[in-house]
Amino acid sequence: MRNTPAGVALEVQGTVPALDTFGQRLIAELPPLAVVSQCEHCDLPEVSAESGFVILPSSDGRREAQIAPDTALCADCRRELFDPADRRYRHPFITCTNCGPRFTIVTGIPYDRPLTTMAGFPLCPACEAEYQNPLNRRFHAQPIACPDCGPHLALLPADPQPLVRAAALLQQGRIVAVKGLGGFHLAVDAASDEAVARLRQRKQRDEKPFAVMVRDLNQARELALLSEMEERLLSGPEAPIVILRRRPEAAVSELIAPGSLWIGLMLPYTPLHQVLFAESGLHAVVMTSANAADEPMVIDEADAHAKLASVADAILTHNRPIAVRTDDSVQRVFQGQPLFYRRSRGYVPRPVMLPFDAGQILAVGAELKNTICQTRGSQAFASQHIGDLKNEATLETFQQTIAHLSTMLEIRPALVACDRHPDYLSTRYAEGLGLPLVRVQHHHAHLTACMAENGLDGELIGVIFDGTGLGDDGTIWGGEFLVGGYAGVERVGHLKKVRLPGGDAAAREPWRMAVSWLYETCGDEVWRSRGMPALTAAEQQTVVTMLQRGLNAPFTSSMGRLFDAAAFLAGAARCNSFDGQAGMALEAAAETAVAPVRLPPLLLQEGGALPFQLDAVPLLTGLVDGRCSGASTAGLALGFHTALAEAVLAACDKIRHDFGPGRVVLSGGVFQNRLLTELVYTRLSTAGFSVFSHRLVPPNDGGIALGQAAVAACRRSL
Ligand code: ZN
Ligand code: ZN
Ligand code: FE
């Protein structure tokens, strides 16, 4: 056995049945944290003189840099944590080889204690003995510690019993900032309306759902309806936030996710979280990232002091530094598989295996939900969630993330990939590196991200439904039908382009898109007479003027914005106070429908010339008429989803007829919509298409960097 740059190479010899058994048991009996991302085998000539087991030095003479993701507290450590006889009883930093911090404490390679943020905590004799003993569960576990030699808790304002005091404050409905693995959270009793309302008011966050940490799996079952897969995901070593169907009678504040049928839950993944639950006796605690508006999560004490003092009543912190900011991962289960909304803690830096050798490439992603990706051979390392790259603080995190990942993986990129949008901070950064640069169209990157993670090659159809992205013609794209692969794509169809009145304001106020879509057909006066929900005369006039003059109203084919218009017209949402709110409200409404209201199809405008267009005017007019005749919002919402899925099928049928490919990838932020994805998936597979969606990276812009890297790798090899 030896480590090679491509992975572990094993040479085994024996009878065929024995080798088969070995292969099966190798996978079945892996240690808890081992992952096999790919397994290949070939036949070798028999060597009669060889027997026994040897580990050979790494093929390049160095230790392979493989840093593990952070992992939730294991069952053994949990047992010790609550065993009064154990020397680590209630020690909030208990860990072993099978659990604990990894990625978030690493400052360099090789992965050894001096190159982690545990460097300042020399092992005591008892811990040292465990560390040196090959038979101990803590053999060579770098972050181990105990009450004698490990980090300790502190409370601000100071208190001799930080944990007891923090727990008491939580019981009283106070807001406590808690230092976690990858950053600070704001914690508050999830059962108390008053407490959650105070958090919303102080955080100035009106409606965006908060994640909730529950004391154990039983408590999760009390709050949400769980499938087997969802239970496994919640209690797995990655411990992500899982978006679940909330029980109507769930004993948590309505203010956690106003108007939503869903709730994001996670389990206590650090020993500190565990002891906080034990001490406070609470069942469910809001745990939302602690940050200043639109800035990355706070990770150090100085920042916590400066930025959280006005929000939190107390700060529960400790002296083990966080090397790199890492948010919680967010997932939902779709067709028995996890679907990422955000891929971060617990998964990073696990690589995605590419179906080709990409060499060393840095891809810098887009703007919203930014992540970066670095490749090393056939491994693509997608970074943790960085955030919306729109301010200095996030740009700084972006640069730190690139530096940290390239140090850990020893990657010196020879090629850089970025979005084609010239004004994204990521694009400007890429331009400044002085390396060969590949600019990748946004929706091409969505398509290739989905191809790469599914190991696909060749040409296929991409249905890319997205909020925003600069198109080749200078307009904003987002409802795209593409044909092609890594080398390039052709835009064969798209949603009809309409004006985006007020630019960014249109994304915040869905009614603007409703007026924009219907203005042309219905005219200034007419659409009002058709019973549009009440808008003030001033609101209408502003938008109508923009549409007439074309001022501050760029053209867009965005599917995200069509969802906004539909959500408004169906009566499901009036505002978009956070990205995707109106679309989520429309999906939630549709989930409650008994049956869809039959709506006009999205007209497939043919006329021979490509690209074809989907015209949503008849569909949107149908929503207005439906509301006038008293149809329910739920029925209209489901009708809209159904009509859109039918349109995707009609479009893909047309593309297959004209071009040939029968494989379809679904990508773009709109495919976070589980209902739409399912309706599209079912229709396309029934019609004989092979359909691929995202499982390893998010369908939203968090997956873009992977796609950019894949395109750059292909361009270079051409
Ligand atoms: Zn453990
Ligand atoms: Zn110790
Ligand atoms: Fe996008």
Side-chain angles (χ1 to χ4, degrees), residues 56-116:
L56 301 174
S58 298
S59 55
D60 56 358
R62 294 178 316 131
R63 290 174 60 165
E64 234 334 72
Q66 281 290 13
I67 311 292
D70 300 296
T71 302
L73 187 72
C74 73
D76 289 331
C77 285
R78 190 177 185 282
R79 199 175 317 112
E80 291 168 356
L81 181 64
F82 292 114
D83 174 4
D86 194 275
R87 70 186 189 95
R88 292 189 179 87
Y89 177 58
R90 294 216 167 187
H91 176 55
F93 304 95
I94 187 171
T95 167
C96 73
T97 323
N98 299 329
C99 74
R102 296 289 186 277
F103 179 71
T104 51
I105 58 165
V106 172
T107 55
I109 54 157
Y111 174 58
D112 270 329
R113 193 163 170 114
L115 289 174
T116 69

Side-chain angles (χ1 to χ4, degrees), residues 114-187:
L115 289 174
T116 69
T117 60
M118 289 299 287
F121 302 95
L123 292 169
C124 69
C127 287
E128 179 72 32
E130 292 172 312
Y131 184 86
Q132 299 294 354
N133 177 2
L135 299 178
N136 193 282
R137 202 172 87 248
R138 297 195 165 87
F139 176 58
H140 274 258
Q142 307 303 342
I144 63 165
C146 75
D148 292 335
C149 65
H152 54 264
L153 296 177
L155 194 75
L156 303 165
D159 192 283
Q161 287 191 292
L163 184 71
V164 176
R165 178 76 187 133
L169 286 169
L170 285 176
Q171 284 171 341
Q172 294 159 18
R174 298 282 146 193
I175 302 167
V176 181
V178 180
K179 188 174 183 179
L181 270 183
F184 280 83
H185 286 106
L186 291 169

